[in-house]
Amino acid sequence: MTPAAYGSAPSPSSPRANAASGVPGEAVLAQIGNTPLLPLDDLTRDFPSVKLLGKAEWHNPGGSVKDRAAARIVDEARRSGKLAPGKILLDSTSGNTGIAYAMLGAALGFPVTLCVPENVSRERKRILQAYGANIIYTDPAEGSDGAIKIARQYAERHPDVYFYADQYSNDANWRAHYDTTANEIWQQTEGRITHFVAMLGTTGTFVGSTRRLKELNPKIRCISLQPDSPFHGIEGAKHLPSAIVPSIYDPSLADQNLEIVTEDAHAMARRLAREQGLLVGVSSAAALVGSLQIIEHLDLERMKEDRPATVVTILCDSGEKYLSERFWHEGQD
């Protein structure tokens, strides 16, 4: 297939399909979803019977996969009256979901307050500020869990002021991917997907996409990825054994779980930028590290007799939000 063949019509439940024309702010919603699948043939040249595809989520208007969940959370909250006029949307975030909330708040006219670990990238902070979000910085040593705790405190103390979106416990998170991401992948690969690989953060992308893909074809192998240590540098990802586990997470869904070393993700990000002109974020690079580990252990002879392997992973965002990070300069003279 050529790259153009991996496009698809908007799925019926996508914000792009549902956004009403002519309503202020709805034009932003209309751009969420239907992101392209990028063939990554250079990474699999030693595995000719494998097709590796990355879903380029930076094509969403907020620049990441988190636009999907944020849009669904906001839509359901507005419809139910939980995010009523005058209320402030409150949540914890490591950056990308917060950017999506802030973008939607600016477009649709509601205020946003975000609890954010102070050590998120400089670029993420500036984007949040540009959209006008109120930012409460939390202890960097406590990571995303620290931000969650502070957000819960604000929500408990001021229930009349805030709508606590709680992306880690909100079923709208995984449902966004059940309805859109998975169906887009199925359509774009014409049902040929054999393996789905995704990083775990809120876990919504993996949980929702896996549930739907398994319905479409129970034989699809779904592999979750997480950092190998509590002290890691993969922004947005969670080391679940040492973290507050999102209540939307379902550990029974994964056929396999792999741990990714931060330095391997950094090396992959540099490799893609310098050898292929593809600038991806750290979690995207980590997803590709994990995907290649899966490919290296496939029973390729058996798969040749059946059908070629088609491995699809989520490229959560581009590298633009991480350009101030030092790892880009490692390995240079």
Side-chain angles (χ1 to χ4, degrees), residues 8-9 11-14 33-35 37 55 57 65 68 173-193 196 204-217 220 222 312 314:
S8 69
S11 57
S13 300
S14 71
N34 196 35
T35 54
L37 278 182
K55 197 148 175 60
E57 290 295 294
V65 68
R68 297 176 185 265
N173 184 338
W174 69 262
R175 284 198 295 263
H177 300 285
Y178 179 96
D179 287 335
T180 68
T181 313
N183 289 320
E184 290 172 23
I185 290 170
W186 183 257
Q187 294 167 8
Q188 289 169 310
T189 62
E190 298 177 344
R192 296 190 179 103
I193 177 175
F196 174 69
T205 302
F206 182 79
V207 167
S209 298
T210 294
R211 281 183 173 147
R212 179 58 179 149
L213 289 171
K214 290 284 191 180
E215 289 177 356
L216 293 166
N217 180 1
I220 296 172
C222 296
V312 178
I314 303 296

Side-chain angles (χ1 to χ4, degrees), residues 195-270:
H195 296 74
F196 174 69
V197 183
M199 290 293 299
L200 296 178
T202 68
T203 76
T205 302
F206 182 79
V207 167
S209 298
T210 294
R211 281 183 173 147
R212 179 58 179 149
L213 289 171
K214 290 284 191 180
E215 289 177 356
L216 293 166
N217 180 1
K219 293 183 179 180
I220 296 172
R221 295 271 300 172
C222 296
I223 299 95
S224 61
L225 310 175
Q226 59 182 298
D228 71 331
S229 166
F231 307 103
H232 64 87
I234 306 176
E235 282 193 36
K238 267 185 176 285
H239 179 255
L240 293 185
S242 62
I244 297 174
V245 178
S247 65
I248 62 172
Y249 178 54
D250 182 352
S252 70
L253 290 172
D255 294 300
Q256 186 177 358
N257 180 69
L258 296 178
E259 296 186 341
I260 306 300
V261 177
T262 295
E263 289 75 17
D264 291 344
H266 288 169
M268 176 61 74
R270 292 193 299 270

Side-chain angles (χ1 to χ4, degrees), residues 132-178:
N134 177 42
I135 308 171
I136 300 168
Y137 288 117
T138 62
D139 186 347
E142 295 189 15
S144 62
D145 284 358
I148 291 171
K149 293 173 184 176
I150 297 299
R152 287 176 178 174
Q153 291 175 11
Y154 273 79
E156 289 169 1
R157 293 172 184 170
H158 308 285
D160 296 330
V161 174
Y162 295 111
F163 158 64
Y164 180 32
D166 194 5
Q167 60 171 321
Y168 294 93
S169 303
N170 196 322
D171 287 330
N173 184 338
W174 69 262
R175 284 198 295 263
H177 300 285
Y178 179 96

Side-chain angles (χ1 to χ4, degrees), residues 13-206:
S13 300
S14 71
R16 180 176 293 202
N18 291 339
S21 61
V23 179
E26 296 294 332
V28 172
L29 287 172
Q31 301 304 312
I32 298 174
N34 196 35
T35 54
L37 278 182
L38 302 182
L40 299 163
D41 297 338
D42 285 347
L43 295 180
T44 57
R45 65 175 58 146
D46 294 332
F47 306 94
S49 61
V50 178
K51 175 69 72 174
L52 175 59
L53 304 168
K55 197 148 175 60
E57 290 295 294
W58 58 81
H59 284 266
N60 287 308
S64 85
V65 68
K66 297 299 187 178
D67 284 13
R68 297 176 185 265
R72 184 66 171 264
I73 289 170
V74 166
D75 180 63
E76 291 191 6
R78 294 173 78 204
R79 290 176 185 274
S80 68
K82 293 179 179 178
L83 183 55
K87 275 213 165 185
I88 301 170
L89 184 147
L90 168 72
D91 211 350
S92 61
T93 176
S94 61
N96 278 335
T97 307
I99 288 170
Y101 286 143
M103 173 189 71
L104 293 169
L108 299 173
F110 59 85
V112 174
T113 292
L114 302 167
C115 298
V116 181
E118 193 170 10
N119 61 341
V120 300
S121 70
R122 185 185 312 156
E123 292 84 355
R124 291 189 185 199
K125 293 177 181 178
R126 289 178 174 174
I127 294 170
L128 290 171
Q129 293 165 353
Y131 280 128
N134 177 42
I135 308 171
I136 300 168
Y137 288 117
T138 62
D139 186 347
E142 295 189 15
S144 62
D145 284 358
I148 291 171
K149 293 173 184 176
I150 297 299
R152 287 176 178 174
Q153 291 175 11
Y154 273 79
E156 289 169 1
R157 293 172 184 170
H158 308 285
D160 296 330
V161 174
Y162 295 111
F163 158 64
Y164 180 32
D166 194 5
Q167 60 171 321
Y168 294 93
S169 303
N170 196 322
D171 287 330
N173 184 338
W174 69 262
R175 284 198 295 263
H177 300 285
Y178 179 96
D179 287 335
T180 68
T181 313
N183 289 320
E184 290 172 23
I185 290 170
W186 183 257
Q187 294 167 8
Q188 289 169 310
T189 62
E190 298 177 344
R192 296 190 179 103
I193 177 175
T194 59
H195 296 74
F196 174 69
V197 183
M199 290 293 299
L200 296 178
T202 68
T203 76
T205 302
F206 182 79

